[in-house]
Amino acid sequence: MHGNGILRKGALGLLLLCLFFRLAAQGRIRVSGYVHDADGNPVELVLVQVKKSLEGAMTNEKGFYSLKASPGDSLTLVFSCLGYNKAERIIPHAKGDLRLNVQMNPASFDLGGVSVTASRRQISTMQHIQADQIKLLPDPAGGSIESLVVTYAGVSSNNELSSQYSVRGGSYDENLIYVNGLEVFRPLLVRSGQQEGLSFVNPELTQSVNFSAGGFEARYGDKMSSVLDITYKKPKALEGSVAASLLGLNAYVGSASGKFTQVTGIRYKTTRSLLGTMQTQADYQPVFMDLQTYMTYRLAPHWEADFLGNLASNNYRFIPHTRSTSFGTGDNVTNFTVYFDGQEKDRFQTQFGALTLKYTPDANKEFGFSASAFNSLESESYDISGDYFINDEETSDGISPLTLGNYMEHARDRLHAVVANVGHYGMLRLKANKLQWGATAQMERIADRTAEWEMRDSAGYSLPHTADALHVFSNLYAEDRVNSLRLSGYLQDAFKFRTPQGLFTLIGGLRGSYWNYNDEFIFSPRASLGFIPNRNQNFTFRLAGGLYYQPPFYKELRQISTDAEGNRSVHLNKGLKSQRSAQIILGGDYAFKLMDRNFKFTAELYYKKLDRLNPYTVDNVQLNYYGENCAKGYAAGLDMKFFGEFVQGTDSWISLSLMKGQQTIRGVTKAPLPNNPGYNFSLFFQDYFPGYRRLSMNLRMMLSGRLPVTPPYQGYEGGYFHTTPYRRVDIGLSYRLAGRGDALMQRPLFEHLKNIWLGIDAFNLFDIQNANSYTWINDVQGHPYAIPNYLTGRQLNFRILVEF
């Protein structure tokens, strides 16, 4: 009986406890709603809290939140998110469930048309880049998204004339570039930055830029280093700009009319004045042009058709006259003087077109079909001879027999490439999951003809010198064709869940592809995990990894063989397999305020185990592959970036990367990875004159370590040495001559204009001599000597920008 009494008392207590919680729950109200930005886009990861309490929630991908709170005479909700101004809403007489929608405004500062916005929260390896910072950037490439990318942690470049870059020790060919979800391609024959011309991406047409230095999602293609994801604008009204400088001219116009939007840009670039600062005195005639358009048309309430088109013509003519270069160190300074004859004429013509059809039944579903084609006609021709002599700087008479010679180079190279593909993609949101999938079939047709030879003569002896025959120093012949089909597909899921510890974002996916040319299947699993702790939401942590492949394209297939007489020819290695990289990345961010300014520190550790490598050597921007899977290696490092308002109202950052990359070729030769500088430091800094914000300053500084260089035609087995570090500072001053609200803009001729900017740039401010390639000569015994080819020197550039 006594036991039964205890049980009855326990049951009664449990009943009262349940009744208490039920009454407490019934006494609470639910507040829910959506959070959008000024453009109506949902804002994710907004913390919604009841003021002076621990009650709160976070918005999901659609900007939706829901929380419970105690009723009262009034209820104050605080909305906060990194990159946006904090918002408070007071709800009077909060007695029942209600819906509250809120607009968040960016924590930005308008510096005369340059919008400076606090950094976004990064829960994956993909980071956002402010595209509008390009317009006032002092860029010797003439204005490109890539010129800003190279200032990010993990990214390095050692050629201001080129838009190509290396990421965490990888090659230029290991970087993916997407525009509106479509992969874009570049010409294949380009061997120097002088020839390269315009980057595909037009920054004036760009709406958003996202970049990942590794550990990217399965929806992106098969490359081992990075992905640059560009989205073009959909204008809501008439807009545009015209810009001119000593480097060329560009203009764009965007408009919207009912169901139709378009943005179209034309660019003309000439680097003639910049090339004139190089040590080779020559008649430089670079003419680069392109026309690009992006159009959208709303076919029906849920259907849209998009078109992206590009026509590019890059022409380069080079007539050298003389060159004088001093090289060496200390007391051993040597002069190299050449008198040239002949010329080089190159032409790269590309066309790209893509049509996409989208079906969006609601905000949780999207389906698309796309078709695109890329066509490239490339030709490279040169006949250049040079008579040279070398003497010590102190020598005024007498020249040793080893220092007289001449050479002649000849090439007739032609390449025609066609890449066409069709694809499907889809997206489906299911509660906390976001499913994405896609499939692509790609046809590749390439025809290549190469005919090159080089003659060298030292002290009257043709090299290589034999008693009974006359030989050229080197030659190369190829006539190859590739017709192939690639199939690829992916499936990935992004899942978000909350625990008492914080918010987790898990993204996992699988990518697979098949290429019929080498009969290879590859499967690439990839995953990432992001975490925002409730304890301190200024911290963000992420872990990513996966198995990444680099399927060979045409350049990688080329394998050079030498016959008994020394003639070199190219054949394609059909047995070449994809290079492979197993990667793991651990990183995090810490956002904080200092002196009422926004700052963020980011750090990422990475390790890449590399196998089935196809080694290559680098000459300027040309990669010469071995054409076989004969190496393995690794790359490891630490990337750090300090971002924030160094000057109030401006965005600036400092990036520092420490890395080491090593490869072992054929199990014997150990050498550094070709694009492993050891360290890379970069600075992007903005400032304005106190009390006079019309006058602003942009500075870009880069310092990169030494890269390995090999003698021509020998590879790393023939030994290597290192270049000097790459050091460069570019600075620009911009003056806003007129802007909205100025009296000038009220006049009839100027009333439709937004801003007028005048600027002056100093490229290579300290006139530092940087070399990224070498001219090789030989003495009678065949011993090679490397003469550095220095890049551009100091140059002033004047520019004007008119926005409307």
Side-chain angles (χ1 to χ4, degrees):
M1 294 294 293
H2 181 69
N4 290 338
I6 294 176
L7 289 175
R8 283 196 298 268
K9 290 180 181 178
L12 181 60
L14 183 60
L15 181 61
L16 291 173
L17 186 63
C18 291
L19 182 60
F20 171 79
F21 281 112
R22 179 180 294 272
L23 291 173
Q26 289 175 350
R28 294 166 66 82
I29 62 171
R30 179 183 297 275
V31 183
S32 61
Y34 290 88
V35 180
H36 297 87
D37 62 16
D39 296 322
N41 302 312
V43 181
E44 186 185 9
L45 301 176
V46 177
L47 177 62
V48 186
Q49 282 184 304
V50 178
K51 193 171 185 178
K52 296 181 180 180
S53 81
L54 299 177
E55 296 166 330
M58 270 191 172
T59 58
N60 61 18
E61 280 186 344
K62 293 182 285 186
F64 180 77
Y65 72 94
S66 177
L67 60 84
K68 290 184 178 181
S70 301
D73 292 335
S74 67
L75 183 68
T76 302
L77 296 183
V78 180
F79 297 79
S80 59
C81 181
L82 185 65
Y84 293 87
N85 289 320
K86 186 178 293 186
E88 287 192 7
R89 296 294 184 269
I90 300 175
I91 306 171
H93 310 296
K95 302 298 183 183
D97 294 351
L98 54 91
R99 178 64 61 93
L100 177 64
N101 297 329
V102 174
Q103 175 181 307
M104 298 285 286
N105 296 313
S108 62
F109 180 84
D110 188 14
L111 186 60
V114 181
S115 178
V116 180
T117 305
S119 60
R120 299 183 179 183
R121 195 182 297 273
Q122 184 183 337
I123 56 176
S124 69
T125 61
M126 189 67 73
Q127 53 188 315
H128 180 74
I129 298 175
Q130 289 293 122
D132 56 5
Q133 290 169 332
I134 297 294
K135 67 176 106 178
L136 301 180
L137 180 71
D139 179 18
S144 66
I145 295 293
E146 292 88 344
S147 64
L148 199 61
V149 171
V150 298
T151 64
Y152 272 55
V155 186
S156 60
S157 170
N158 67 339
N159 189 340
E160 64 273 9
L161 295 171
S162 173
S163 62
Q164 301 191 56
Y165 51 87
S166 169
V167 179
R168 292 175 175 172
S171 77
Y172 308 137
D173 293 333
E174 295 178 16
N175 304 312
L176 283 163
I177 299 180
Y178 283 86
V179 175
N180 292 350
L182 302 163
E183 185 179 356
V184 298
F185 303 89
R186 66 174 76 240
L188 300 174
L189 283 185
V190 173
R191 67 174 68 202
S192 71
Q194 293 92 311
Q195 303 170 314
E196 190 172 302
L198 291 159
S199 163
F200 181 94
V201 180
N202 187 333
E204 299 296 337
L205 312 187
T206 300
Q207 177 67 41
S208 67
V209 183
N210 293 288
F211 176 74
S212 172
F216 44 88
E217 301 167 14
R219 62 191 175 103
Y220 296 111
D222 290 303
K223 297 281 187 178
M224 294 199 303
S225 286
S226 75
V227 57
L228 180 63
D229 191 0
I230 307 289
T231 302
Y232 276 180
K233 298 176 180 178
K234 288 185 180 180
K236 296 182 179 180
L238 180 66
E239 63 176 62
S241 70
V242 178
S245 74
L246 296 181
L247 298 178
L249 172 72
N250 62 73
Y252 93 97
V253 61
S255 63
S257 177
K259 300 178 180 180
F260 177 74
T261 72
Q262 69 81 30
V263 59
T264 301
I266 185 169
R267 294 182 291 174
Y268 163 74
K269 174 183 172 182
T270 176
T271 53
R272 187 170 186 173
S273 63
L274 192 61
L275 296 176
T277 65
M278 301 179 72
Q279 293 188 337
T280 298
Q281 302 301 306
D283 183 8
Y284 295 97
Q285 299 178 22
V287 178
F288 311 125
M289 297 183 67
D290 85 338
L291 173 67
Q292 199 163 148
T293 186
Y294 175 56
M295 305 177 183
T296 72
Y297 184 74
R298 180 72 61 178
L299 300 170
H302 302 293
W303 290 88
E304 180 181 280
D306 300 348
F307 174 75
L308 175 64
N310 180 71
L311 300 174
S313 177
N314 296 327
N315 297 282
Y316 176 72
R317 189 180 182 192
F318 170 59
I319 307 175
H321 303 308
T322 63
R323 169 183 173 178
S324 180
T325 301
S326 297
F327 63 100
T329 58
D331 298 328
N332 188 25
V333 177
T334 304
N335 290 326
F336 173 65
T337 304
V338 191
Y339 296 93
F340 294 102
D341 190 20
Q343 67 174 336
E344 175 181 352
K345 294 178 68 175
D346 307 320
R347 190 174 188 181
F348 307 95
Q349 290 186 312
T350 61
Q351 303 88 37
F352 177 83
L355 182 65
T356 303
L357 184 64
K358 299 178 183 179
Y359 173 58
T360 311
D362 55 53
N364 295 317
K365 305 180 188 69
E366 183 176 320
F367 309 95
F369 299 89
S370 64
S372 67
F374 169 78
N375 183 68
S376 182
L377 288 169
E378 308 173 29
S379 66
E380 185 180 51
S381 303
Y382 56 81
D383 290 282
I384 296 177
S385 62
D387 296 304
Y388 66 84
F389 64 88
I390 297 179
N391 64 313
D392 294 335
E393 195 171 59
E394 303 295 331
T395 303
S396 58
D397 57 349
I399 299 176
S400 70
L402 295 181
T403 57
L404 284 172
N406 60 65
Y407 65 88
M408 182 172 183
E409 297 175 336
H410 164 92
R412 295 292 185 273
D413 300 337
R414 304 290 184 271
L415 186 141
H416 183 203
V418 177
V419 180
N421 66 58
V422 293
H424 160 70
Y425 72 90
M427 183 275 294
L428 178 64
R429 286 190 178 96
L430 298 171
K431 294 184 179 180
N433 296 76
K434 181 182 179 182
L435 292 173
Q436 291 177 277
W437 66 88
T440 302
Q442 179 168 292
M443 181 275 294
E444 299 163 5
R445 182 175 298 168
I446 299 173
D448 176 31
R449 187 180 187 277
T450 302
E452 301 176 2
W453 56 262
E454 179 184 1
M455 184 275 293
R456 293 188 188 179
D457 182 289
S458 180
Y461 291 91
S462 177
L463 300 177
H465 176 67
T466 60
D468 56 353
L470 180 66
H471 296 276
V472 295
F473 183 80
S474 69
N475 63 0
L476 182 64
Y477 176 78
E479 190 160 1
D480 298 303
R481 294 179 179 271
V482 172
N483 292 285
S484 64
L485 177 68
R486 294 182 198 262
L487 303 175
S488 63
Y490 69 89
L491 174 65
Q492 77 172 41
D493 180 29
F495 175 61
K496 296 188 177 181
F497 58 96
R498 293 174 175 82
T499 70
Q501 287 72 39
L503 173 67
F504 289 86
T505 302
L506 176 63
I507 304 174
L510 178 66
R511 185 176 189 90
S513 67
Y514 169 74
W515 193 28
N516 70 348
Y517 188 81
N518 63 358
D519 195 29
E520 181 187 28
F521 288 92
I522 57 175
F523 295 96
S524 174
R526 309 173 189 179
S528 67
L529 178 66
F531 173 58
I532 302 174
N534 282 336
R535 182 181 295 272
N536 188 340
Q537 296 189 14
N538 291 321
F539 283 99
T540 304
F541 302 98
R542 53 189 172 271
L543 175 68
L547 195 60
Y548 292 80
Y549 288 87
Q550 179 86 16
F553 202 63
Y554 175 70
K555 286 196 301 184
E556 291 95 322
L557 294 172
R558 290 165 53 99
Q559 193 170 29
I560 298 176
S561 58
T562 306
D563 64 18
E565 297 182 353
N567 297 310
R568 302 164 67 241
S569 60
V570 174
H571 70 274
L572 304 183
N573 182 6
K574 295 192 68 171
L576 185 69
K577 301 301 181 183
S578 299
Q579 302 179 80
R580 185 166 57 191
S581 170
Q583 304 182 12
I584 185 167
I585 299 102
L586 175 64
D589 305 332
Y590 175 59
F592 59 96
K593 278 185 174 290
L594 185 64
M595 296 181 293
D596 201 33
R597 302 176 190 174
N598 294 307
F599 292 92
K600 185 173 78 168
F601 177 74
T602 297
E604 285 190 351
L605 278 166
Y606 65 89
Y607 178 80
K608 300 192 287 188
K609 180 183 178 183
L610 311 171
D611 66 345
R612 306 202 307 194
L613 290 180
N614 183 1
Y616 63 92
T617 58
V618 183
D619 182 13
N620 203 299
V621 298
Q622 184 182 40
L623 306 185
N624 300 304
Y625 288 91
Y626 280 45
E628 56 181 309
N629 302 110
C630 61
K632 62 180 180 179
Y634 70 90
L638 170 64
D639 293 337
M640 294 172 287
K641 180 182 174 186
F642 183 47
F643 174 97
E645 295 180 72
F646 296 177
V647 176
Q648 189 171 15
T650 67
D651 281 349
S652 302
W653 57 83
I654 298 172
S655 299
L656 175 63
S657 299
L658 305 174
M659 66 191 79
K660 183 174 183 180
Q662 195 79 13
Q663 61 182 337
T664 303
I665 304 173
R666 298 191 176 101
V668 177
T669 304
K670 294 185 180 296
L673 292 176
N675 281 301
N676 172 51
Y679 64 89
N680 192 73
F681 174 85
S682 58
L683 167 68
F684 175 71
F685 181 73
Q686 297 184 91
D687 197 1
Y688 58 87
F689 278 71
Y692 195 67
R693 289 170 175 163
R694 288 179 177 270
L695 188 58
S696 62
M697 183 272 289
N698 286 260
L699 182 143
R700 188 182 71 155
M701 180 172 67
M702 291 182 289
L703 172 62
S704 187
R706 304 185 304 160
L707 296 176
V709 176
T710 63
Y713 321 123
Q714 295 186 28
Y716 291 96
E717 294 85 347
Y720 62 88
F721 66 97
H722 286 87
T723 65
T724 56
Y726 182 81
R727 299 157 295 166
R728 186 177 181 91
V729 177
D730 302 313
I731 189 171
L733 294 176
S734 301
Y735 175 70
R736 186 162 63 98
L737 182 65
R740 288 279 174 86
D742 292 345
L744 177 65
M745 295 304 207
Q746 310 305 318
R747 298 181 181 179
L749 185 63
F750 299 96
E751 61 182 348
H752 297 295
L753 300 184
K754 182 180 178 181
N755 289 294
I756 301 176
W757 288 91
L758 299 177
I760 181 172
D761 302 322
F763 299 140
N764 196 359
L765 179 63
F766 300 112
D767 201 24
I768 299 172
Q769 291 185 326
N770 293 304
N772 76 333
S773 65
Y774 291 80
T775 295
W776 293 84
I777 62 172
N778 292 69
D779 60 19
V780 177
Q781 286 74 35
H783 298 145
Y785 294 86
I787 315 298
N789 298 322
Y790 292 116
L791 294 166
T792 60
R794 185 190 295 117
Q795 172 72 12
L796 292 179
N797 178 51
F798 300 93
R799 51 186 164 80
I800 181 172
L801 170 65
V802 179
E803 300 174 291
F804 60 87

